Amino acid sequence: MRGFVRGILMDLLGLVISWAYVFLAPYSKVEESFNLHATHDVLMYGVGPEFLIKYDHKTFPGAVPRTFVASVILGWLTAPVASLGVHLGLIQSKMDLQIALRLVLASVNSICLILLRHAVAKRFGRPTSWLFTLLTLSQFHLPFWIGRTLPNMFALFPVNLAYFTLYNRAPHSNRPSERSVDVVVALLVFTAVVFRSEVALLLAPLALQLLIQGHTSLLRLIKVGLITGLASIGLTVAVDSYFWDQWPLWPELYALYFNVYLGKSAEWGVSSPHAYFTTHLPKLLLGAIPLAALGFILDHRIRSLLVAPALFVLGLSTLGHKEWRFVIYIVPLANVAAARGMRWLVSRRKGFVFRNLTMLAALCLLSLNFTLTFLSTKASMANYPGGVALAAFNEYYAGQENIHVYICNLAAQTGASLFLHEHAPPFSSPLFGTGAGPITTRSSWTYNKTEGLTPAMLSSSGFTHLIVESPEIGSGEWAVVDSILGFQRWKLNEHVMAILKREKPWEMSLLEWTRFLEMETTEKLWILERRQ
């Protein structure tokens, strides 16, 4: 009973922390913008053909078309939550809607991590499952991003569901059921076809491993893959051809052609072949890396579990453009391995010195994770100046009419999403009935985020206000209303360093040590108003 309660508390803790990140950093970055704005349009306009011309992607399509399947699903899941929030008075603005949909996404991904914890408890024991959750929450990227509308976070749910299906079995079970293997293959095929094509590089070695181990047959593998693949292609082509008004359109195939075959992804940067192993995975896993290595050495089940993820990363390493989000799918399995290693460290009973040393090692690695995560969280909270700027602008000029504000590229990329267009239509939504909605104001402002406008164009236009990267626009035509600070870097606290020169390190108080690093912020954006 006690173990059951601990498990429930761990699950609730994971859910609450994913929600906390949504509230601590409510704004968005450019990588999230397509799905965020597509979900905005689904929520605020509906999916009728007469409304598609108003969708944001008609004006800002991006480099390649992305699937609407994820945004439609998220919009439909958010709809009842948003309706209840409006009824209870909890949602009173479009920005509240953005928070609501991110909470829904965070909840869905957290629930899948909870399911995976239960699979770990069944396969490796309850204490290992608790350590799995603790390690996951001690890291920054996965808990912080599971509530953000990156395409990879939509793909993460079915990938984790596949893990749960495959590993939710008894500790000494040598093989999953054939039905479980079918579900795993179907989930990964669907994910690769609809959401993220790189998941195919995870599916390929896993399918080969299952085949070699005799967990399925080649004919069955082909049958499940073919049926699921054709159904998934039919779904994404039908949905996305409709929203993009191009027939036939398979977004992930086009993205694969554009980024890999044409090599266009290199325009966003090329990294060394070892970047995933030397930069991105250490950033994602932090102190879990040595623990995962220990788990790999100790347990043959862990070695089997890590084969496909390792080959997946090797496959992705052959591509020039590399980002941490492309390998986020292996973090849960790496944390299972790390939890197994950590369980061994904290369960030693023989030898007073050895027992305490292993316990200390585990605590130090966990403390390192939490420390780095705290610093990353604090920096991220100050890293969305565009969202802060537009929210402040809305508050400054609330109640005024005939506002025409220009939003620069940096502002648009760091949080100035459509959900912050508080004083521009749409003011209501099909979700809330005719004339009802979260927005009480009907001031009709114009928010303009056209790229490439020069200072001369800004001055000669009809803009009444600007949100820009420099206050030096024009010759005295614009007055500075406010400046917005953003994260610059971490630096050593000069006051603490001065104390350290006078005193011995062990004589400094804990409070002084917590101030050892200081966050430096600088002015990132300015709100300007046209002089009369």
Side-chain angles (χ1 to χ4, degrees), residues 272-340:
S272 62
H274 54 76
Y276 282 125
F277 295 97
T278 57
T279 303
H280 297 300
L281 285 175
K283 180 170 64 175
L284 290 169
L285 296 173
L286 302 177
I289 289 180
L291 294 171
L294 179 60
F296 181 87
I297 294 169
L298 291 171
D299 198 325
H300 70 91
R301 296 170 299 175
I302 295 297
R303 290 193 288 275
S304 176
L305 176 145
L306 290 180
V307 169
L311 292 175
F312 166 66
V313 178
L314 284 172
L316 280 179
S317 296
T318 62
L319 302 177
H321 181 63
K322 299 175 179 65
E323 296 184 38
W324 65 263
R325 60 193 179 98
F326 298 158
V327 292
I328 192 70
Y329 319 108
I330 76 162
V331 170
L333 291 189
N335 284 340
V336 173
R340 177 67 183 88

Side-chain angles (χ1 to χ4, degrees), residues 144-219:
F144 182 84
W145 284 90
I146 59 174
R148 295 187 168 275
T149 54
L150 277 178
N152 312 79
M153 296 304 120
F154 291 104
L156 188 65
F157 174 78
V159 170
N160 280 339
L161 199 57
Y163 294 154
F164 164 75
T165 305
L166 188 59
Y167 300 115
N168 186 37
R169 48 196 167 101
H172 302 296
S173 169
N174 292 322
R175 58 187 302 126
S177 67
E178 286 189 331
R179 183 176 294 275
S180 295
V181 173
D182 292 345
V183 171
V184 169
V185 172
L187 284 168
L188 294 181
V189 168
F190 169 78
T191 307
V193 169
V194 178
F195 294 143
R196 292 299 303 183
S197 58
E198 71 261 15
V199 174
L201 290 177
L202 178 62
L203 170 62
L206 181 60
L208 183 60
Q209 182 184 4
L210 293 170
L211 198 60
I212 293 172
Q213 292 174 336
H215 299 333
T216 189
S217 66
L218 180 60
L219 183 62

Side-chain angles (χ1 to χ4, degrees), residues 393 402-405 462-466 478 528-531:
F393 181 85
N402 301 318
I403 299 291
H404 188 182
V405 58
F463 294 122
T464 59
H465 299 81
L466 309 176
W478 302 95
L528 307 182
E529 182 178 38
R530 190 183 291 273
R531 296 182 189 274

Side-chain angles (χ1 to χ4, degrees), residues 70-147:
S71 299
V72 171
I73 293 173
L74 180 59
W76 288 348
L77 289 175
T78 305
V81 176
S83 297
L84 179 62
V86 170
H87 178 72
L88 296 176
L90 299 175
I91 295 179
Q92 300 180 0
S93 68
K94 291 182 188 178
M95 186 59 201
D96 291 341
L97 274 179
Q98 177 170 316
I99 291 172
L101 74 87
R102 287 192 54 208
L103 287 174
V104 169
L105 180 59
S107 300
V108 168
N109 274 319
S110 293
I111 288 169
C112 212
L113 286 172
I114 288 169
L115 289 175
L116 186 55
R117 186 199 70 79
H118 283 268
V120 173
K122 191 173 183 179
R123 185 107 175 111
F124 298 98
R126 282 180 175 175
T128 302
S129 77
W130 303 333
L131 293 173
F132 162 75
T133 298
L134 200 58
L135 281 165
T136 301
L137 297 181
S138 73
Q139 295 159 349
F140 171 73
H141 284 81
L142 186 60
F144 182 84
W145 284 90
I146 59 174

